Amino acid sequence: MSAMRSAERVHKAVGASLFWRAMWARAYPRLIGTQREMGWLLSETILPLLGTCGFVFVYKATGAPQEFIGFAVMGGVATAFWLNILWSMASQLYWDKDGGNLELYIISPAPLMSILLGMAIGGFVMAAVRGFSILIIASLLFQVGYQVSNLPLMLLIFFFTMAGLYGLGMMMASVYLAAGREAWHLSNALQEPIYLTSGMYFPVKALGAAVATIASALPLTLGLDGIRQLIFTTQTDIGFLAPEIELLLLIGLTVIFLSAARYSLRKLEEIGRREGRLIERRK
Amino acid sequence: MALVKPLGDLPFVRANPALRAFVIGAWLGWQIESNWARPLLFAIYAVARPLASALLLVIMYSVITNGATQEPLFAFIFIGNALYIVVSSVVSGISWAVIDDREHYRVMKQLHTAPMSYYSYLIGRGVARVGIGLTSFVITMLVGVVFFQLPIALNTINWGLLILASIVGIIAMQGIGVILGAITMQLASNLWFLGEGTIAALYLFAGAIFPLDVLPEALQPFGMFYPVTYWIELSRRALLGANAPTFHAMGAIPSETLLLILTGMALFMAIASYIVYRLSLHRAKEMGRLDMETSF
Amino acid sequence: MDSAPAIKTENLGRIYKIRGPKKKGDQKELIALKDVTLEVPRGQLFGLLGPNGAGKTTLIKILCTLLLPTSGTAFVDGLNVATQSQDVRRQISMVSGGETSGFGLLTVEENLWMFARFYGLDNAVAKRRIAEMLEILGISDRARAKISDLSTGLRQKMNFVRGFLTDPNVVFLDEPTLGLDVTAARDVRTFVKQWMQDHPDRTLLLTTHYMAEADELCDRLAIIDKGQVLKDDTPTNLKHGLQQNAIFNLKVQPIGKKPQDNGRIEDVPGVQTVAVRDHAEFSEINLTLQDENVLPAVLTHLGGRGSSLIALEKHEPTLEDVFINLVGRRLDQDTHGQENGASE
């Protein structure tokens, strides 16, 4: 074994520069994984796509107008993002703990928030690839047409829906870690019930004002409602709130969830170090 | 299920490795899922998830039909969806058991080196899932009858047909589950979706939530080769009796014929599952994949 | 800060609350560390030797800021691990035995790059150091292999690169050779020795329950059992303490575990410590005697119990003997169990 050649001190970034480096470093496995693991890509594209087809055929069986087919397709896209939040964001820190990565994140000088943001960026890219695949395939299969009435507003709504959604995912990651092995169940609990309450496959307005208001705490609800209003021409008014108002609410949700993520992460580390939960591994 | 473990102590069960493996599988499956027996988890798996998916369809249907739940199509969709819960539970449950044993609990080596049949064990795991699926089915149906006035009454149900079709149907589902489980033995965990994906794909061809007639013509025959399609149709007929909708592509075929076809398919699936299992096991051993761990 | 010891603990304690299988009422307490006071100067390779469950890993987790102590204080590089955790993290790294960290779908160099960036290393520096250290550990040919394809030994070597790549002041190695084959373990030990030689200002804390490893590597050792540090000295001094005694390994026909009518071996005058390990065909006894003249009495005692001598070996004191002398049982007997043998 040869002698060590580099005994010189190594420069290490701190502050914002460290945050930036750590964030992209954590995003990297996900960005690269999109190319390397076709299995995941297929699973997260095919499952929502099949679900979407099922809902489209239900609409066809009931003789629904063509725009409802489009609603179902949008629901499929939203499902890809939501599944990504549940299984690749919320549960990720728990899995990282199980695999032994979490303790290495913690003992590194990188802020945990940078690690979570990296996960979110990587997760978003993963989900976007799947979401847009679903959008294109399903739109072609079922001949869905789109008419964008206000592109900048639509893009802003999309951006803040995603920012709010991934902020929520980051917050959930800490909560899941605190919940330990119950996390698995939590993700399951938040699938179909969220498909229902967020109006993924139908206009959320159909649930009534009270339920739709509560469901608006989830960025997907407002985002889907806003985007549907901006890209489909419908005979009836399908919107729960005006898209402009929904945008403002989405900005608010983004701020709330990102702050909550930061707070819960700090709390988690504090409680975890006190109670030894960051190092225990249970099956 | 608490009765299952004492069953394992019976002399004839202990003497028969296949039977013993089956009982162990059923008991273990229930133990794993019996986290589930806790109130919160019961609420998630047996109530919230199935009901949410049922209500999702109810709302989609109601938005378009202005709440015409008395129409035969509504009962068709509601019951078909509830029945498919059992299918998903059994079929994806078995393939998931393979990944769970291998990657989560890491006991695949021990299970395969123990003097028991892993095939029977997998069927046992499937039986535990039947119990779970049926519980959700009953709860969903109760909600359908109480809140959406599904035209079902205990005295009008054709119990004989329902029980017979279900026994045969479950054998077919177990067969499909073991086939998927056997194939899963070859796959990395990132292909966990095989079970769920297949079951979701077949959902479209089972005539569960929309009549097969709605599918493009070229795709409709697929449904006729899927045993679950026959089980759902027969169960729907048994539950609804005279109220069963007849617009379905299968509407013209008598129940006796459907039952006969289902029996033939179940038999085929049972045999096929054993053959596929043996071949897949051999291949997995050959490739050293039996106890691989592929966490990402 | 430079004048401060690399590691310092004062009356450090940690109690775990063990959750019972059901409800809160079942909570129990487990004392993992009790009043641990240690000081490790810079530039030292310090070892913690103790059986499984002795509290070694708990101590490392506290020093690495993963766990808070329930009493006492701990400093690493002059920084309080409880209140200055973020500053401590810049100075340390940790490698554990049997570690499965990293992402299976990334290659060795990609995984290492990712961790290097968590410490703020420049891209070019990270890449250069990765290449250099992979070379030193003899695994540069696997740089582009996915880590899911690596053997345990190769994976642990990669973990070593990760631990040293970021130029830490204090490195914690928790049972680093656990599960490694002889060659891989030797490579890892050679690497550690070389690194300490090349970086005389750095400190390394190693936990192990392999005595030979502790003896070979450590400048100084603390023997830890049941959460308490029993002795802390150089390996030579620890062994020297037993030099005036006579140490024997006896292989005898099986003796029963229960003391017989003629009493226990310990009761023979001049016997200081006894550790017995029962095998199917024979019993193995480690004896520390006041001097060799005590041996005939011991053999007579054993004869009285129907156990005759098969083989006898006198040897120089080892760390195992030091451990037996301090704890009263062999090192391969866990703190919480008696799986591998029993002392009388």
Side-chain angles (χ1 to χ4, degrees), chain B residues 44 57 69-70 72 80 82 88 93 104 129 135-136 140 181 187 198 206 220 248 258 272 278 296:
Chain B
I44 293 173
L57 290 168
T69 53
Q70 72 287 358
S88 305
H104 186 63
R129 302 284 301 199
T135 312
S136 303
T140 310
L187 304 177
T198 309
Q220 288 178 19
H248 187 259
L258 291 180
R278 298 293 306 178
F296 289 92

Side-chain angles (χ1 to χ4, degrees), chain C residues 231-243:
Chain C
K231 203 152 191 178
D232 159 20
D233 210 331
T234 63
T236 314
N237 284 351
L238 286 169
K239 287 183 282 189
H240 191 74
L242 291 179
Q243 217 107 50

Side-chain angles (χ1 to χ4, degrees), chain A residues 37 39-40 43 47 50 54-55 57-59 62 64 68 182 184-185 188-189 191-193 196 202 206-207 283, chain B residues 38 41 44-45 49 52 56 59-61 63-64 73 96 104 190-193 197 201 204 209-210 214-215 296:
Chain A
E37 289 305 329
W40 279 117
S43 68
L47 286 180
L50 290 170
F55 293 125
F57 287 123
V58 170
Y59 274 136
T62 53
F68 277 80
E182 304 295 324
W184 182 263
H185 303 301
N188 274 316
Q191 273 183 216
E192 288 82 356
L196 171 70
F202 54 82
L207 292 171
K283 289 278 169 216
Chain B
R38 285 164 44 196
L41 300 178
I44 293 173
Y45 291 102
R49 289 191 69 180
L56 181 66
I59 292 173
M60 286 172 64
Y61 175 87
V63 167
I64 304 303
L73 181 62
W96 188 249
H104 186 63
N190 58 332
L191 297 172
W192 58 270
F193 70 95
L204 299 178
I209 54 168
F210 53 85
V214 178
L215 280 177
F296 289 92

Side-chain angles (χ1 to χ4, degrees), chain B:
Chain B
M1 272 299 162
L3 293 172
V4 174
K5 202 183 172 193
L7 271 181
D9 295 332
L10 292 173
F12 71 95
V13 175
R14 288 172 69 170
N16 185 329
L19 210 54
R20 199 170 63 228
F22 171 77
V23 171
I24 291 170
W27 173 78
L28 186 67
W30 187 258
Q31 288 301 312
I32 290 169
E33 311 289 348
S34 72
N35 258 325
W36 182 95
R38 285 164 44 196
L40 175 72
L41 300 178
F42 180 81
I44 293 173
Y45 291 102
V47 185
R49 289 191 69 180
L51 276 187
S53 57
L55 290 177
L56 181 66
L57 290 168
V58 169
I59 292 173
M60 286 172 64
Y61 175 87
S62 301
V63 167
I64 304 303
T65 62
N66 288 319
T69 53
Q70 72 287 358
E71 292 292 325
L73 181 62
F74 179 78
F76 179 97
I77 294 175
F78 197 95
I79 296 172
N81 176 64
L83 286 166
Y84 212 79
I85 294 169
V86 183
V87 184
S88 305
S89 179
V90 177
V91 177
S92 64
I94 294 177
S95 61
W96 188 249
V98 171
I99 291 184
D100 229 16
D101 284 345
R102 192 181 68 198
E103 316 247 350
H104 186 63
Y105 297 107
R106 293 168 189 164
V107 292
M108 207 52 145
K109 263 184 275 199
Q110 288 82 347
L111 287 172
H112 277 277
T113 49
M116 64 168 215
S117 151
Y118 189 70
Y119 176 81
S120 309
Y121 164 86
L122 277 183
I123 292 179
R125 294 287 296 262
V127 166
R129 302 284 301 199
V130 171
I132 292 158
L134 282 177
T135 312
S136 303
F137 167 74
V138 171
I139 291 170
T140 310
M141 289 305 293
L142 277 175
V143 170
V145 171
V146 174
F147 295 99
F148 303 109
Q149 286 80 45
L150 284 180
I152 297 174
L154 287 178
N155 56 356
T156 58
I157 293 174
N158 184 343
W159 288 102
L161 180 63
L162 184 65
I163 292 169
L164 200 60
S166 295
I167 291 171
V168 182
I170 286 168
I171 291 173
M173 287 177 228
Q174 292 268 14
I176 301 169
V178 172
I179 290 174
L180 292 174
I183 298 170
T184 307
M185 288 200 288
Q186 313 270 354
L187 304 177
S189 66
N190 58 332
L191 297 172
W192 58 270
F193 70 95
L194 177 86
E196 275 188 49
T198 309
I199 215 65
L202 293 174
Y203 189 41
L204 299 178
F205 303 107
I209 54 168
F210 53 85
L212 282 181
D213 321 43
V214 178
L215 280 177
E217 250 176 64
L219 294 178
Q220 288 178 19
F222 283 105
M224 308 304 271
F225 291 106
Y226 185 31
V228 170
T229 315
Y230 296 87
W231 176 64
I232 288 180
E233 177 65 14
L234 282 165
S235 304
R236 205 186 264 130
R237 284 185 195 185
L239 288 165
L240 289 171
N243 297 315
T246 50
F247 52 80
H248 187 259
M250 285 185 169
I253 310 173
S255 298
E256 294 75 16
T257 314
L258 291 180
L259 190 59
L260 203 66
I261 299 172
L262 177 61
T263 309
M265 286 184 162
L267 205 63
F268 174 79
M269 283 298 168
I271 297 166
S273 69
Y274 190 71
I275 295 169
V276 174
Y277 168 79
R278 298 293 306 178
L279 290 175
S280 192
L281 180 67
H282 181 74
R283 179 95 181 128
K285 282 181 177 171
E286 210 171 54
M287 305 296 287
R289 288 178 180 152
L290 211 52
D291 60 341
M292 68 177 166
E293 282 171 23
T294 49
S295 53
F296 289 92

Side-chain angles (χ1 to χ4, degrees), chain C residues 12 15 30 82 92 98 101 147 161 200 209 234 269 301 304 322 341:
Chain C
L12 198 68
I15 295 171
L30 172 80
I92 62 167
S101 59
I147 67 164
V161 175
H209 63 275
T234 63
H301 168 91
V322 174

